[in-house]
Amino acid sequence: MSLRVAVAAPFIQNGTRRLKENEFVVALSLDRDWFSPDQAKRLIDIATKEGLLERDDDGLAVTFDPVGVTVPEEFVPDEDLLRERSAFERVLDSLVAEGMEKHEAVGAINTLQRELGLTIEAAAVVYARREGIDVDDLVPIARSAVRDTEDG
């Protein structure tokens, strides 16, 4: 969830859905003092991989409506955002963002994993879909994880 907030902030600040990459970096590093310029660039890479941003010749486009995101006054993103998250972590974040308690989601996913004999990533995707959470972007990752365990 905080990744979405950190990504949305520069777009909200500038009242747009498109920014040049340097404008995004300046907004996060100089204007907000959340990250160094190198960290802000790393955040772009992660947000792009997670489908929150798209890169093109003109810069960056946000793939969700930033107006729907609230940036709390006291919000400061954690540096954990700068590491790539597993599919499991991404699904868990989506579940928590929808109001589910983290420990309940983890317990339910672990149970599903045992019952179906799936990887944790695949179980998380199946569980989220059963709960009506859109995690379609993670389905290929979960399928790949299932194939890897079958091959191994």
Side-chain angles (χ1 to χ4, degrees):
M1 184 65 171
S2 56
L3 177 62
R4 184 176 289 260
V5 174
V7 168
F11 294 95
I12 295 168
Q13 173 182 322
N14 288 285
T16 185
R17 293 182 64 128
R18 269 189 173 290
L19 289 171
K20 294 198 179 308
E21 195 164 321
N22 67 332
E23 293 171 326
F24 185 88
V25 170
V26 166
L28 292 178
S29 60
L30 296 176
D31 297 347
R32 294 192 178 267
D33 197 28
W34 284 349
F35 300 107
S36 71
D38 286 342
Q39 289 173 320
K41 289 175 186 172
R42 173 84 179 123
L43 186 73
I44 292 170
D45 292 339
I46 291 168
T48 301
K49 284 181 184 168
E50 295 202 13
L52 299 175
L53 290 175
E54 289 179 350
R55 272 191 171 116
D56 60 27
D57 294 339
D58 296 331
L60 301 170
V62 65
T63 61
F64 59 94
D65 186 2
V67 176
V69 177
T70 302
V71 182
E73 186 83 26
E74 69 285 348
F75 177 78
V76 177
D78 193 308
E79 283 193 30
D80 280 354
L81 294 180
L82 301 176
R83 69 175 179 78
E84 288 192 47
R85 299 176 304 154
S86 69
F88 170 75
E89 291 171 308
R90 291 165 61 184
V91 171
L92 189 58
D93 284 352
S94 296
L95 291 165
V96 170
E98 292 294 322
M100 185 170 287
E101 290 294 324
K102 189 174 189 173
H103 68 278
E104 289 175 19
V106 170
I109 292 167
N110 285 336
T111 299
L112 193 58
Q113 179 187 18
R114 281 190 304 276
E115 288 173 356
L116 300 178
L118 298 172
T119 65
I120 193 73
E121 290 85 1
V125 168
V126 169
Y127 180 75
R129 289 180 97 175
R130 285 182 178 177
E131 293 297 310
I133 308 296
D134 178 16
V135 291
D136 289 348
D137 59 321
L138 299 174
V139 169
I141 296 167
R143 276 196 187 116
S144 173
V146 170
R147 275 195 225 79
D148 290 347
T149 57
E150 289 173 351
D151 295 341

